[in-house]
Amino acid sequence: MDCRDVDRALLEGGGIAQLQDVQDHLRSCGHCRTLAQALDPRRVEAAPSSDTLRHIEQSLAADLRAVQPMWPLSYFFTAFAGIFVLIVSFGAYRMGTFAISVMSPLQAAAILCALAASAGLLAYSLVHQMVPGSRQRVSPQPLPAGIMVFLLLIVAGLFQIQQDPKFWAHGWACLSVGTPFALFAAVPFWFLLRRGAVLSPRLTGAATGLLSGLVGTSVLEVHCPNLDALHIVTWHLGVSLLGATTGLGIGFLAERSARRRQNDPSA
Amino acid sequence: MGVRRPIRKETAGAPGLVSYLRGALEIKVVERVTSPPGRTNITGMDSVSSSPGVTQGSFAQRSLDLDRWMERYQQADPDAPRALIGAVSPALLRFFRSQWDSREQADDLLQETWMRIHRVRHTYRSGEPVLPWIYAIARRVRVDGYRKRRRISLHETAVEVLPELPIRVEQPDPLPEFETLIAVLPESQREVLTLLKVAGLNLEEVARATSSTVGSVKQKAHRAYERLRKVLQTRPEAELREEANGLP
């Protein structure tokens, strides 16, 4: 057993036999022994005063009411996914599915699957962000940026850059179609999020904004027959980026206002 | 017998080390769960015989008891908040203290944590471990507290004469304080190590509390160990040898 094995044993646990091995190693290795002793949690002395504990107990007891525990996370996931599909379907019905008829089956399948997978991942991450201490299989911090990069690569791989003489005019038209759908989706998403406890408003705001933006992007991918890669990246994915940025901004403001309320309870 | 450095709250270095290892290897020496006078002991709920100050049950059993108390807290059982506060607050305070907060600040953060726990208690899901849920909230409170302090300190002006600090009369300890030792680590590694060592969470629970994956937690802890090993290696070899003499 070497020093790395000791680290591993301390982290992952083990049986009595392993404990014996660790002890043997510690007898011969001064550095491991010092490390183990230095990290002894009992060296941190702290016990709350009885006054503090009593004060907390009284505060909690004063407002003690039975609460209904949250629904299972699968319900929330279904709700997020349902809202996404419903609004995209409504958008496709309302605006028309012109893009599907001009795209090849591979292009249509790939872009729609990529959008669905991205939305699914975001919804999964969001429902876990609503519950503190949830098991995260995908780290939520890099997820929004990761999804944007993934979609960028998919679009770059599927579509070619073409000369679009009305780049700005077409782009503005797409932005004005996609953004209202994103806003429309953000409202029910926000109501769902209110059922949980959002610990990091900035992170959750960015993820929710991106999910809302993906609704707008999906509507555009079904509706807009312009297959110029530059147009899709700038204006279709731009709706998602706009959503994520707005969500991040709202999260930032929410954090700031919560801090102000905390500092000034009368406000 | 040449034991130069008694670990605090321990009788001697060597037995302390063995018990520490037992704890780290999840044959946990269970933290004492004692009830203040007139309070319900959290293990008493399952009719486990208990007397104040006696180490009892297993870590898993204690964790399970806390989960049950949390469910009763959601149902507005008046004993539940008292039991939870009594059982979890010492570890929470240690969590705040080990991250460079003063005693007063740690007390404030502890109160704020319980207030938030109370507000979002409906988000605890039956059957899930309660400690990662609590520490995820505590972690957020600590971050908010840090930001608040930083903002206040920006508006503060230094006084010319600082009050004289009381001189601490303590037994000299050749090992650096836990807080001092981990202060050399980056924030993320320090947090992981604190949750593992001070809060007593396992890898899975730390991953839940920090919204990350088990692999990421493991990597951070390994890096932290490596760095601390390097720091401690700079200590004179003679000092280490003297400590070794104290071992059985």
Side-chain angles (χ1 to χ4, degrees):
Chain A
M1 176 167 270
D2 62 12
C3 301
R4 285 192 72 84
D5 293 330
V6 171
D7 288 356
R8 208 168 296 127
L10 291 176
L11 275 176
E12 292 167 8
I16 298 283
Q18 201 176 3
L19 176 64
Q20 191 59 49
D21 285 348
V22 172
Q23 281 190 51
D24 289 344
H25 177 80
L26 289 180
R27 283 198 183 89
S28 59
C29 178
H31 295 306
C32 280
R33 192 169 51 245
T34 313
L35 179 68
Q37 287 174 338
L39 290 178
D40 190 337
R42 281 160 295 207
R43 287 163 50 79
V44 184
E45 282 186 286
S49 69
S50 53
D51 280 350
T52 307
L53 291 182
R54 203 176 311 116
H55 177 70
I56 297 170
E57 281 169 22
Q58 283 167 356
S59 307
L60 264 56
D63 182 36
L64 193 62
R65 284 174 285 109
V67 290
Q68 179 70 38
M70 264 179 88
W71 299 331
L73 292 189
S74 55
Y75 287 24
F76 284 98
F77 179 79
T78 310
F80 273 110
I83 291 166
F84 185 91
V85 171
L86 210 69
I87 297 178
V88 172
S89 307
F90 172 71
Y93 167 75
R94 181 106 180 130
M95 308 301 298
T97 57
F98 307 118
I100 300 293
S101 50
V102 295
M103 275 195 277
S104 72
L106 174 72
Q107 283 176 326
I111 192 73
L112 292 181
C113 285
L115 286 168
S118 303
L121 258 180
L122 273 172
Y124 173 84
S125 177
L126 273 175
V127 295
H128 284 87
Q129 285 178 47
M130 288 165 68
V131 179
S134 262
R135 182 186 291 157
Q136 302 271 3
R137 288 199 171 83
V138 185
S139 188
Q141 286 88 358
L143 190 64
I147 282 176
M148 284 308 293
V149 171
F150 166 69
L151 290 175
L152 198 75
L153 291 175
I154 290 283
V155 172
L158 286 174
F159 302 97
Q160 291 178 344
I161 296 178
Q162 300 161 1
Q163 288 298 323
D164 183 1
K166 292 184 177 173
F167 179 77
W168 293 100
H170 287 162
W172 182 250
C174 279
L175 203 64
S176 55
V177 167
T179 310
F181 283 102
L183 280 173
F184 186 39
V187 177
F189 288 157
W190 181 71
F191 273 108
L192 279 178
L193 282 175
R194 276 170 54 90
R195 299 281 304 164
V198 173
L199 293 182
S200 177
R202 270 186 270 190
L203 188 64
T204 311
T208 313
L210 181 56
L211 185 61
S212 310
L214 282 179
V215 171
T217 302
S218 302
V219 171
L220 288 171
E221 281 311 312
V222 172
H223 163 69
C224 174
N226 190 336
L227 300 188
D228 175 20
L230 212 57
H231 171 85
I232 296 173
V233 166
T234 313
W235 303 111
H236 295 193
L237 291 186
V239 176
S240 296
L241 189 65
L242 190 67
T245 316
T246 310
L248 186 72
I250 291 172
F252 182 76
L253 290 176
E255 265 182 33
R256 222 167 64 165
S257 91
R259 273 206 302 272
R260 275 196 189 146
R261 271 202 309 273
Q262 203 183 324
N263 292 343
D264 182 14
S266 63
Chain B
M1 284 287 287
V3 179
R4 271 168 49 91
R5 193 188 55 75
I7 294 176
R8 274 182 241 152
K9 292 187 178 178
E10 287 283 333
T11 50
L17 178 61
V18 172
S19 66
Y20 165 72
L21 283 168
R22 281 189 187 280
L25 289 172
E26 299 244 295
I27 310 158
K28 295 249 182 191
V29 175
V30 180
E31 193 181 342
R32 287 178 178 190
V33 184
T34 56
S35 300
R39 288 185 185 156
T40 315
N41 190 308
I42 67 158
T43 50
M45 164 185 184
D46 290 333
S47 309
V48 176
S49 65
S50 59
S51 57
V54 176
T55 302
Q56 50 195 297
S58 67
F59 185 78
Q61 180 60 42
R62 176 174 169 252
S63 195
L64 195 66
D65 289 342
L66 288 176
D67 298 350
R68 288 185 192 156
W69 274 117
M70 191 62 215
E71 287 166 25
R72 288 168 66 165
Y73 181 30
Q74 288 180 323
Q75 292 155 14
D77 180 339
D79 288 335
R82 213 162 42 192
L84 282 169
I85 291 166
V88 183
S89 292
L92 272 178
L93 195 71
R94 283 203 297 271
F95 169 70
F96 292 129
R97 288 285 284 124
S98 66
Q99 306 260 323
W100 286 96
D101 292 300
S102 73
R103 176 60 198 251
E104 199 176 281
Q105 286 161 346
D107 272 347
D108 287 347
L109 293 180
L110 179 69
Q111 292 188 38
E112 176 59 24
T113 301
W114 281 109
M115 292 303 118
R116 283 208 203 174
I117 285 174
H118 186 69
R119 279 200 296 271
V120 300
R121 63 192 186 280
H122 68 283
T123 62
Y124 171 72
R125 289 171 305 143
S126 176
E128 292 289 316
V130 73
L131 286 176
W133 182 83
I134 288 176
Y135 277 98
I137 296 167
R139 185 174 170 258
R140 188 66 215 173
V141 169
R142 192 178 62 78
V143 170
D144 288 349
Y146 171 74
R147 285 183 183 153
K148 183 180 163 189
R149 269 207 317 279
R150 199 180 53 178
R151 207 180 51 256
I152 291 170
S153 67
L154 286 176
H155 297 291
E156 277 177 349
T157 46
V159 290
E160 278 182 17
V161 182
L162 291 170
E164 204 170 305
L165 290 172
I167 299 162
R168 292 173 73 185
V169 185
E170 269 184 10
Q171 198 77 353
D173 190 345
L175 272 181
E177 295 276 341
F178 182 84
E179 302 97 310
T180 317
L181 185 69
I182 64 167
V184 299
L185 301 172
E187 170 64 31
S188 61
Q189 291 176 16
R190 196 162 69 212
E191 184 178 63
V192 162
L193 214 57
T194 306
L195 287 169
L196 281 167
K197 298 298 161 199
V198 177
L201 305 187
N202 61 32
L203 288 171
E204 164 75 24
E205 289 173 333
V206 174
R208 281 169 174 260
T210 56
S211 299
S212 59
T213 56
V214 173
S216 156
V217 170
K218 216 185 275 186
Q219 194 184 41
K220 281 176 190 163
H222 272 301
R223 283 181 183 164
Y225 280 148
E226 272 171 22
R227 189 150 179 180
L228 289 180
R229 219 183 277 282
K230 278 182 193 158
V231 169
L232 290 168
Q233 271 172 10
T234 57
R235 287 154 52 83
E237 194 61 38
E239 201 175 290
L240 295 173
R241 229 176 292 122
E242 280 176 24
E243 282 166 22
N245 292 337
L247 280 177

